[in-house]
Amino acid sequence: MTDLARSGNFDIYATYQQFLQDEQISPPLAAILSLAEAISQSKAGTMFELLKTVTDGAENLRARSRNPISLNAGCELFIAFVTLFPHESDTFAELKKELEQQGRKYAAEAISFRDKIAELALGFIKDDSVILTHSHSRVVLKALLHAHKTKRISVYVTESRPRGLGLKTYEALTAAGIPCTVVLDSAVAYVMDQVDFVMVGSEAVVESGGLINYVGSNQMAIIAKAANKPFYALAESYKFHRLFPLSQYDLPTHNPNILSFATPTAQSAGQDGASATAAPETSSTGTANAGTQSSPTERAMTQEQIAKNPGVDYTRPDLISLVFSDVGILTPEGVSQYLVGMFAG
């Protein structure tokens, strides 16, 4: 039980944020734990009321999250468990307790899914492999650290602007003794000929077998395909999502403000130039290069400009070589078949 639940002021989104403070808990698992907590706090006396509690809680999480894709996969999985799968409880009170306990049990067990995926990926990582990865992914980091125990590997990781999450991956890999270099997002094509394969994580794997991940993954997959390099996606099964985007503009995160044009004026142009701050020149380690001076013409994007850019993108299934999951090594077509079976009860 969370601190908020103990206080009697249950707020499902605040509870969700509290679960996310654990580095091992990803958004889908935090969503499942939050819905289990909602059942625990619910005064529902019928199955209809209980289901409404769960669906209302899921809608609350989606509405208050800037990027609801990953957490929604967890919500769908938990709702499917509540509605589709048989339960053994004799009374309604026991049923509520069973649903809450099963939700917590699944989330606890699901943390080990990354270990299973890391072991599956190990067979595809040869000694002296050079790997390109993108941004920061818990499951990819687990796979790389696991491979490092028995094999020599080197890793290129993209900087992943604007949040710079690639630097977090860089720090973890170098701390473990893995040779690693940070690559500009715009230098992916430049480095592709140097790598053996690309390995990325996921926000969600959708019904088509396509991938939703941190923005930049799609262009990386396109370049890998052109260079005839394998593109591997690593995804826990709780990130398999009943969603069928056909393009970037079908994603739930897309809105009219993304990549919209502002009406230029002489005054606003001057303000934009003044508000942009000089960006420090960075070395491959991701730290400021003290030996050189930043050019006066170097600029960083404003928060308003960043807000007009997408946070995630969609990669078509024909660009993905394999999907490594805790349920096995799947082709994109195999993901579709698994999703159909999973939600068919």
Side-chain angles (χ1 to χ4, degrees), residues 319-340:
L319 299 174
I320 300 170
S321 304
L322 290 171
V323 177
F324 292 81
S325 177
D326 50 283
V327 297
I329 302 172
L330 306 173
T331 62
E333 294 81 5
V335 172
S336 300
Q337 295 171 7
Y338 181 84
L339 267 168
V340 169

Side-chain angles (χ1 to χ4, degrees), residues 157-161 181-189 191 219 282:
V157 58
T158 52
E159 183 183 13
S160 192
R161 289 197 179 194
T181 293
V182 179
V183 177
L184 291 172
D185 296 327
S186 52
V188 168
V191 77
Q219 65 190 27
T282 57

Side-chain angles (χ1 to χ4, degrees), residues 196-318:
D196 294 302
F197 59 86
V198 179
M199 179 180 286
V200 301
S202 66
E203 288 277 321
V205 178
V206 296
E207 283 187 276
S208 64
L211 174 73
I212 300 175
N213 196 36
Y214 198 82
V215 67
S217 301
N218 182 45
Q219 65 190 27
M220 188 178 284
I222 292 171
I223 295 168
K225 185 79 168 182
N228 199 29
K229 298 297 175 73
F231 183 91
Y232 299 137
L234 276 55
E236 302 92 326
S237 58
Y238 53 74
K239 291 183 178 179
F240 289 3
H241 193 358
R242 288 193 303 173
L243 195 66
F244 208 108
L246 298 176
S247 72
Q248 311 299 334
Y249 308 104
D250 295 326
L251 296 178
T253 50
H254 184 73
N255 62 70
N257 186 55
I258 299 294
L259 302 181
S260 62
F261 291 102
T263 303
T265 63
Q267 182 179 4
S268 65
Q271 290 174 343
D272 286 346
S275 62
T277 57
E281 186 175 333
T282 57
S283 67
S284 62
T285 62
T287 56
N289 188 342
T292 59
Q293 293 293 324
S294 295
S295 166
T297 60
E298 287 186 271
R299 301 290 179 183
M301 294 174 69
T302 65
Q303 287 302 312
E304 181 182 1
Q305 291 167 335
I306 290 173
K308 287 191 175 185
N309 278 269
V312 296
D313 61 22
Y314 168 65
T315 302
R316 302 189 319 266
D318 61 290

